[in-house]
Every structure is written in structure tokens, then in C-alpha cells.
Amino acid sequence: MRIRSLGVIDDAVVELSPGFTAVTGETGAGKTMVVTSLGLLLGGRADPALVRIGAKAAVVEGRIVLSPGAPAALRAEEAGAELDEGALLISRTVSAEGRSRAHVGGRSVPVGLLAELADELVAVHGQTDQQGLLRPARQRQALDRYAGDAVAVPLEKYAGAYRRLRAVAVELEEITTRARERAQEADLLRFGLDEIAALEPLPGEDAELAAEAERLGHAESLASAAQAAHGALAGDVEDPEGVDANTLVAGAHRALESVRAHDPVLGALADRIGELGILLADVAGELAGYADDLDADPLRLAAVEERRAALTQLVRKYGDADGGLAAVLEWAERGSKRLLELDGDDERIGELTAERDGLRAELSLLAQALTDARTEAAERFAADVTAELASLAMPHARVTFDIRQAPDAEGVEVGGRPVAYGPSGADEVELLLAPHPGAQPRPIAKGASGGELSRVMLAVEVVFAGSDPVPTYLFDEVDAGVGGKAAVEVGRRLAKLARSAQVVVVTHLPQVAAFADRQLLVEKTVDGSVTRSGVTVLEGEDRIRELSRMLAGQEDSQTARAHAEELLAAARADA
């Protein structure tokens, strides 16, 4: 892995061993930057504050060797990446402005792809994980992760039933708590629908009534105008000597008809005048009929105006001025549908109550199945952690799990008693430690000293590492608080784990570093006003000097050197 312009590191190459690599150095030298660099390659958050002052961007590049057909290789190839003789080249760039870019196998990819690959490549275990594991909720998650499909399968079924139960409960509560409001809404709808039904309005009726009212209101003038027009067209019976349009047109037609044989043009005009006469006769007839049929009944006019006033009141209450009566009819249609919904609440409440009871019964069985699966996994998990503690100089310590259900009168029944249930089941899980024979098991946050707590957490992490199907494990100072013989056992245990996987440990303990196949020194130098750190592979005399510094703070101390040589010799003999 190559690191450029990241924090105090200007330009460094980190050469990791296939087995156990220990990263050491003074506090503040930049060991954390090595972990941060790996985190960036694994899709971690890009923080522009990490970019070295004066640089435009920080760059981390890594070369990861993959086994043929590895899931990470297949996923990378799906994204268009190319492997370099079985190795995957990954790079991550973080600019000082905060922009981030990722490349996998020569192809630009979303940063999210790095996180997908990380799940198959590296398991990171650090002090943050330790502190998190002190919380019971995280301990339950840890147990579920250890159990694998034995818990994951019933948990998925339980979670689905739980989500549906919550949705049913919310809907049921909404219907029941709003019963009064919904009843009031139904009453208002019924009143409005009854009021509309009593009038029985018809589509377009308001426009027809308006036209009729206009006609009835001017009946006399309309009749007078029709009669005058009829007289002008067909003659006035009271003035038989008067000249009318029909008589004049008929005279014109006769005049042309007598000479049409001599000129076709006049013949054509005679035909058109004949048609005009027919049209005048038709219009005159319709005018006569209109005048005869015109109803000037004031009672009918009053009835029309009364009907119009009633419809206008409906429009004012249930429609709008633009939509008119059509808006009222639309409101009635929507109101009818809504009233059916509201009237169906009682039936819906019955359906939801039955479904809720059925889901509670189902949840009870699923919760019990979860408890059984966790209990079985907890016995194996506790036995594995206890065995690890024996390898970490705690031969008499015993780890157990307390799995219990908090009582809740409103909860679902598990094992015959009502308990509280949540999205992950009804179980409260807590890791207990009895550090020596005769001691009562207590929660690890209360029952362990600092050194014991670190070893318990390391044991848990090692057990996780054994269950994680990944080729590389990174431990970031999980040995904090450990010293002496226990530190030697920590180093021995990590070396044993490195026989089957690649292990990278950031440590301050010489007893742990001595067991490493390769030791890397992160060292800070100051040149004037410029501070930079580099990474060096330690071998031979240089490694002894670093172990001496870690032991006594003095690289040239003969006693520390002797102790460092002894540590290295013991570690090699143990291997």
C-alpha cells in the first residue's frame, strides 16, 4: 500500500507480510494514518482535513492479491475492473476541497463499490469496536453475527412480522382514536348528500333553466317581434293591401321565369329566387309557430326562478362559481365514496383486530425461535471466548451470556409470559465475566479490570475473526491495557491466527510486535518547519533497536536490547 500526502505522511510504502505484520512507532508518529489509509481503500469516509497541509490531494493505492474465483474478484470484474496477474489494484484520492474519487482495476468506480469489496476482503477490529461491545445492544448484534444463518433466518421472518404488526397497530390506533372525527365527517357527508338528492339536479340543468328564465321574462317583446317579422315576410292579416317579402319575391320569380328560355343566366337566377321564396315561407311558418307556442305564464317563470335559486344554493355550499352545478355533482360522487369508507370502519376495525391478534401469535412463535437460536449460539460463543481467554493468560476466567426478556404487560407472550418486543426480537443479551473461580458472573463493563477487559475484548475479536470469511484482519491497538505475561500471550494468539490468515496489528506492546513476521516502523522526522512521517521495514539490528525503545524507551540500553533479543528468540521458538 502506498500513501501520499495523508496527514503527517508525505510519501510512504507499506509492505505487509502474508502472515503477521506489526505496525509500531512513537505516539503521534502516524500509526493511525496507516489504519486510516486502509479505511479509505475500503470505502471509508473521505475527510478533507486528512489531506497534508500544502498538498492538493491525498492518494492511497493498494495491491490486493486474490484467490481465483474470489467473490471480490468477480464483483470487481462485473464493475469493469481488470486484474493484474491475480491482483486487484485499488486507489482512492481525496482532494483538499473534499472531492473523492475511486479506481478499481484501472476503472473509475463509485466509492460504494469499495465498501462492497471490503466486506469480502478485510475485517477491521479496533478500540471503537471494543467500546461498542460494552453496550448490551451491541452484544446482541455480536451474538447474532456469530450465529450466522441460525439466527439470521428466523430474525428475517420475525422482522417482517414485526413490521406488519406495527403497521396494523398504527392503522388500528388511527381509526379508533379518530372515531369521533370520522363520525362527524360522516354526518356532514350524509346531510350534504341528502340535500343534493332531495333536489335531484341534472347535468346542465342550471344552463337550461337560465335560458328558459330569460325567455319567459321577455315573452311579450319576443312575441311582438316574431309577429312583426312574420308580417314582413308573409303579410299582415290586418293590412291585406300591404306589401310583404313573399309577394315581392314571387313577383320577381315570375318576371324571370317568363324569359328564362332566352338566356340561361336569367334562368339560373330565377331558380335561386325560387329557393329564396321557399326559405322565406319556411321562416315565416316557424315564426308563426314560435309566436303561438310562446308561453308567457308568470307561474312557470316563478317556478323556474325558484328552482334556479335552490340550485344556486347547492352550488354555493358544495360547488364553486366556475364549476357550477357540475362541481356539485362531482362533490356528491366523491362524498358517496368517502361515506362508504367511513361506514366501513367498524368492519375494518374487526379485520385489523383479527390480523393484529394473529400477528401477535405468530410473533410469539418467531420470538421464541429467535431466543432458542440465540441461546444455542451463546453457549458456543461463550465457550469459544472462554477458550481464547485461556490462551490470553486468563486460564480460570469464564464467559457466559445472560439472555432474558424484559416483562411488558402489553407485549407478546414468549414462553408463556408477556414480554416487550422490538425490531430484533424480545431478547436482552448481556455478556458476563467470572474472572476467577468462585466469582459471580458480572457484566463485563463492571466485572473486569482494564487489562482483563482488553483481553476479553480481544478474545471476542479473535472469535469473530475465526468466523469472518475474509483473508485479512486488522487489529487497531486492541491490546491496550495489557502488559507482562498477558501481552506475550496476546502476541502468541495473534501469531497463531496469522497461520491461517493475514493479520495486521497496530500495537505499542513489544511482546506483541516480537511475534510478528514483519515489523513496520512509522517514524516522524522534523526538517525545519516541515514534519513528515515515513514507514520502514525493520530487520535485524533495526528491529532490536525498536523493540528496545518500546521496552525501555531507550534504543541503546543493553538491558533493553537483551530483553528484546530474548523476546524475539522466544517468539521464533514458539512459531
Side-chain angles (χ1 to χ4, degrees):
M1 181 170 64
R2 185 178 184 185
I3 310 168
R4 286 180 290 172
S5 301
L6 186 70
V8 294
I9 298 180
D10 183 22
D11 192 344
V13 175
V14 181
E15 300 178 16
L16 302 177
S17 167
F20 180 5
T21 299
V23 181
T24 64
E26 292 277 9
T27 300
K31 298 190 299 297
T32 302
M33 288 297 102
V34 176
V35 178
T36 301
S37 299
L38 187 56
L40 287 173
L41 285 184
L42 301 178
R45 186 176 68 89
D47 185 357
L50 296 174
V51 179
R52 184 174 173 82
I53 296 175
K56 294 183 178 179
V59 181
V60 183
E61 299 168 305
R63 184 176 185 271
I64 302 175
V65 179
L66 300 174
S67 57
L74 298 177
R75 180 67 186 92
E77 289 175 341
E78 287 177 2
E82 295 183 1
L83 271 64
D84 179 20
E85 298 180 353
L88 188 62
L89 301 180
I90 300 178
S91 70
R92 181 82 180 276
T93 302
V94 180
S95 72
E97 291 78 22
R99 293 188 300 273
S100 173
R101 297 194 306 273
H103 291 80
V104 175
R107 176 65 61 88
S108 178
V109 298
V111 174
L113 177 63
L114 300 185
E116 292 183 39
L117 298 177
D119 292 337
E120 306 290 342
L121 296 175
V122 181
V124 180
H125 306 281
Q127 290 184 339
T128 301
D129 302 304
Q130 287 190 14
Q131 296 302 316
L133 282 171
L134 295 178
R135 300 193 298 270
R138 285 292 302 277
Q139 292 172 14
R140 187 197 66 234
Q141 295 172 6
L143 176 60
D144 291 353
R145 172 183 161 198
Y146 173 84
D149 288 344
V151 166
V153 172
L155 179 59
E156 182 178 2
K157 295 179 181 178
Y158 172 93
Y162 177 81
R163 288 192 297 270
R164 178 56 190 162
L165 177 60
R166 296 306 305 159
V168 168
V170 168
E171 184 178 356
L172 189 58
E173 182 179 4
E174 192 271 341
I175 291 178
T176 54
T177 56
R178 291 189 55 212
R180 177 177 298 179
E181 292 86 348
R182 296 167 77 90
Q184 292 174 347
E185 182 184 357
D187 289 341
L188 290 174
L189 286 173
R190 287 192 187 92
F191 179 83
L193 291 172
D194 289 344
E195 192 173 10
I196 294 172
L199 287 179
E200 297 182 353
L202 300 174
E205 183 182 1
D206 50 349
E208 294 176 1
L209 289 174
E212 185 178 1
E214 183 72 13
R215 186 171 62 254
L216 291 173
H218 299 82
E220 292 184 2
S221 59
L222 291 174
S224 177
Q227 290 171 356
H230 177 271
L233 294 179
D236 190 347
V237 294
E238 297 180 358
D239 184 14
E241 298 298 329
V243 179
D244 58 80
N246 275 335
T247 301
L248 295 174
V249 170
H253 183 265
R254 287 194 300 273
L256 294 181
E257 191 69 28
S258 63
V259 296
R260 67 180 300 152
H262 305 298
D263 189 348
V265 175
L266 289 180
L269 291 174
D271 292 340
R272 292 171 64 185
I273 292 175
E275 294 173 0
L276 180 58
I278 295 172
L279 179 60
L280 288 173
D282 289 342
V283 173
E286 291 184 15
L287 286 170
Y290 176 85
D292 293 339
D293 295 339
L294 188 62
D295 186 6
D297 185 1
L299 295 179
R300 173 58 186 167
L301 177 59
V304 169
E305 293 293 356
E306 183 179 354
R307 175 71 173 176
R308 289 185 66 200
L311 294 179
T312 300
Q313 188 69 12
L314 284 184
V315 172
R316 188 177 295 114
K317 295 173 67 174
Y318 306 109
D320 57 70
D322 296 332
L325 194 59
V328 174
L329 297 175
E330 291 177 4
W331 182 93
E333 183 178 1
R334 294 194 305 270
S336 298
K337 294 179 180 179
R338 177 60 176 163
L339 188 58
L340 289 175
E341 295 177 5
L342 295 173
D343 288 341
D345 276 358
D346 291 340
E347 181 180 351
R348 182 59 178 160
I349 288 175
E351 293 175 354
L352 290 173
T353 301
E355 185 178 3
R356 180 198 62 190
D357 295 342
L359 286 169
R360 282 181 170 177
E362 180 184 0
L363 214 61
S364 173
L365 298 176
L366 294 173
Q368 186 60 54
L370 262 180
T371 299
D372 294 343
R374 283 173 174 149
T375 301
E376 189 277 332
E379 294 177 357
R380 293 186 289 109
F381 193 10
D384 288 346
V385 174
T386 299
E388 288 296 331
L389 289 176
S391 301
L392 295 172
M394 293 179 66
H396 304 296
R398 182 169 57 91
V399 168
T400 57
F401 274 96
D402 178 22
I403 301 178
R404 60 188 181 276
Q405 293 83 37
D408 184 350
E410 299 298 325
V412 68
E413 287 195 357
V414 177
R417 65 189 183 93
V419 300
Y421 57 98
S424 297
D427 301 319
E428 292 182 351
V429 177
E430 195 163 26
L431 188 61
L432 307 179
L433 171 68
H436 52 79
Q440 289 296 322
R442 299 183 62 193
I444 56 173
K446 301 177 181 178
S449 65
E452 289 172 338
L453 179 61
S454 291
R455 279 179 281 174
V456 171
M457 292 294 97
L458 179 58
V460 170
E461 297 294 350
V462 171
V463 169
F464 275 148
S467 62
D468 276 335
V470 294
T472 300
Y473 304 97
L474 171 63
F475 293 92
D476 182 15
E477 296 192 10
V478 292
D479 51 10
V482 177
K485 180 180 179 181
V488 174
E489 295 302 329
V490 169
R492 181 177 287 116
R493 187 62 192 90
L494 290 172
K496 181 180 179 181
L497 179 64
R499 295 172 188 170
S500 58
Q502 183 182 40
V503 176
V504 181
V505 178
V506 178
T507 182
H508 65 282
L509 293 179
Q511 297 94 328
V512 172
F515 279 89
D517 299 305
R518 171 173 292 172
Q519 183 172 348
L520 303 179
L521 172 64
V522 181
E523 192 172 22
K524 181 165 60 177
T525 60
V526 179
D527 183 8
S529 60
V530 179
T531 301
R532 56 170 54 89
S533 291
V535 182
T536 306
V537 177
L538 298 180
E539 295 178 349
E541 181 64 22
D542 291 335
R543 188 172 185 186
I544 293 175
R545 285 175 57 85
E546 171 61 9
L547 291 175
S548 299
R549 181 200 63 77
M550 297 172 70
L551 283 164
Q554 300 175 354
E555 295 89 338
D556 298 327
S557 168
Q558 293 301 316
T559 302
R561 287 178 57 83
H563 192 182
E565 291 173 352
E566 183 180 357
L567 278 178
L568 282 174
R572 289 166 182 163
D574 187 78

